[in-house]
């Protein structure tokens, strides 16, 4: 079946630095990718919608200058957390949607970000 | 109107029992209702999904019941096993031009199946 890969699975960075998380659809072309954030024991909160070749659409309350999203190709979207702070520490998950995947939405394995 | 309400928040079931998780939605434009299973530290995995043109869908031990008029849907796990212990999320989306694939999640249910 379709697979969505995220990298890195875990990352620790220092406050004030930037960190990039990649989301790849491995065997289908994802016309749309989504980025979610999940705090422990909570649900997934949609951060932004990423369409290939266009600017991301951010949900209300999400700082677009802090969470930079790039969807350069039909198989790759990246989330860059800029000037990271400890409160940005969270589990970040991407999902990918494409017509080839049978209109099904597949999730990556998630990336744990710890800002120290 | 975009919310999906899920209950219960937590559930304890004996091995072999039936686990039932309920969700309710408001937006009648939703046309795809998946259930996801998530283990600690992992991303959600699609378990089963239903569209509003059917009232029930069964895959192995997992069944979705859908009540369009009540705007409710539920997940039933038959013969629950300790390996089913996880967090379950219901979700909803609709295939509007700017919303295709955009999932609205319920709050999650932590299921514990006791041996």
């Amino acid at each position: 079946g379709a697979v969505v890969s995220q990298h890195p699975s875990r990352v620790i960075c220092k406050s004030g630095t930037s960190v990039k998380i990649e989301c790849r659809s491995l065997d289908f072309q994802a016309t749309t990718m989504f980025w979610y954030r999940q705090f422990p024991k909570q649900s997934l909160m949609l951060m932004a919608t990423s369409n290939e070749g266009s600017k991301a659409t951010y949900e209300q309350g999400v700082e677009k200058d802090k969470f930079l999203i790039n969807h350069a190709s039909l198989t790759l979207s990246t989330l860059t957390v800029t000037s990271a702070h400890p409160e940005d520490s969270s589990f970040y998950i991407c999902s990918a949607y494409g017509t080839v995947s049978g209109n099904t939405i597949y999730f990556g394995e998630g990336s744990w970000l710890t800002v120290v | 109107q975009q919310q999906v309400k899920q209950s219960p928040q937590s559930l304890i079931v004996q091995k072999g029992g039936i686990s039932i998780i309920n969700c309710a939605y408001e937006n009648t434009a939703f046309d795809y209702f998946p259930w996801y299973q998530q283990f600690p530290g992992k991303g959600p995995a699609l378990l089963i999904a239903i569209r509003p043109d059917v009232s029930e869908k069964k895959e192995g031990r997992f069944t979705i019941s859908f009540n369009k008029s009540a705007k409710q849907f539920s997940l039933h796990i038959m013969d629950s096993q300790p390996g089913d212990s996880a967090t379950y999320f219901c979700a909803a989306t609709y295939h509007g031009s700017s919303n295709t694939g955009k999932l609205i999640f319920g709050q999650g249910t932590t299921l514990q199946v006791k041996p």
Side-chain angles (χ1 to χ4, degrees):
Chain A
V3 176
V4 175
S5 173
Q6 267 186 255
H7 178 79
S9 57
R10 288 183 178 273
V11 59
I12 301 173
C13 72
K14 292 184 177 180
S15 289
T17 62
S18 296
V19 61
K20 182 185 288 186
I21 301 170
E22 292 185 348
C23 179
R24 294 182 183 271
S25 57
L26 296 185
D27 55 359
F28 68 98
Q29 293 185 327
T31 52
T32 310
M33 288 184 171
F34 302 87
W35 287 95
Y36 295 82
R37 184 175 183 177
Q38 186 179 33
F39 291 107
K41 299 188 184 300
Q42 293 190 22
S43 188
L44 287 80
M45 297 300 297
L46 180 66
M47 298 175 66
T49 301
S50 170
N51 290 295
E52 186 265 339
S54 62
K55 289 184 178 180
T57 303
Y58 291 83
E59 295 299 303
Q60 192 173 10
V62 177
E63 298 176 62
K64 63 180 181 181
D65 294 330
K66 180 170 186 59
F67 298 100
L68 301 179
I69 292 172
N70 182 273
H71 195 155
S73 75
L74 285 171
T75 59
L76 174 64
S77 176
T78 60
L79 167 68
T80 301
V81 182
T82 64
S83 187
H85 287 257
E87 55 264 32
D88 298 327
S89 299
S90 186
F91 192 46
Y92 292 89
I93 311 170
C94 71
S95 70
Y97 171 86
T99 55
V100 180
S101 68
N103 294 333
T104 301
I105 304 154
Y106 291 94
F107 280 83
E109 282 293 302
S111 299
W112 283 103
L113 170 63
T114 302
V115 184
V116 296
Chain B
Q1 195 180 24
Q2 285 290 79
Q3 284 187 332
V4 176
K5 295 183 179 180
Q6 183 174 346
S7 63
Q9 185 176 2
S10 62
L11 182 61
I12 299 174
V13 173
Q14 290 294 129
K15 178 182 176 181
I18 302 174
S19 304
I20 302 174
I21 305 171
N22 301 298
C23 284
Y25 64 98
E26 290 293 325
N27 191 341
T28 56
F30 287 146
D31 61 4
Y32 178 69
F33 302 89
W35 284 90
Y36 287 87
Q37 180 188 57
Q38 186 179 32
F39 292 103
K42 300 293 185 182
L46 178 65
L47 200 58
I48 187 172
I50 198 168
R51 298 191 185 276
D53 53 347
V54 297
S55 61
E56 186 175 281
K57 183 176 181 179
K58 183 176 181 179
E59 290 184 0
R61 296 186 293 111
F62 302 94
T63 299
I64 298 179
S65 296
F66 186 82
N67 186 328
K68 189 173 182 178
S69 60
K71 292 184 285 186
Q72 295 175 348
F73 58 110
S74 60
L75 175 69
H76 295 232
I77 306 175
M78 313 299 287
D79 187 25
S80 299
Q81 300 295 314
D84 297 331
S85 298
T87 300
Y88 293 81
F89 292 98
C90 63
T93 188
Y94 60 102
H95 291 82
S97 59
S98 62
N99 292 285
T100 300
K102 180 179 177 179
L103 288 166
I104 306 300
F105 280 90
Q107 294 81 359
T109 297
T110 301
L111 170 65
Q112 181 184 359
V113 181
K114 290 193 169 182

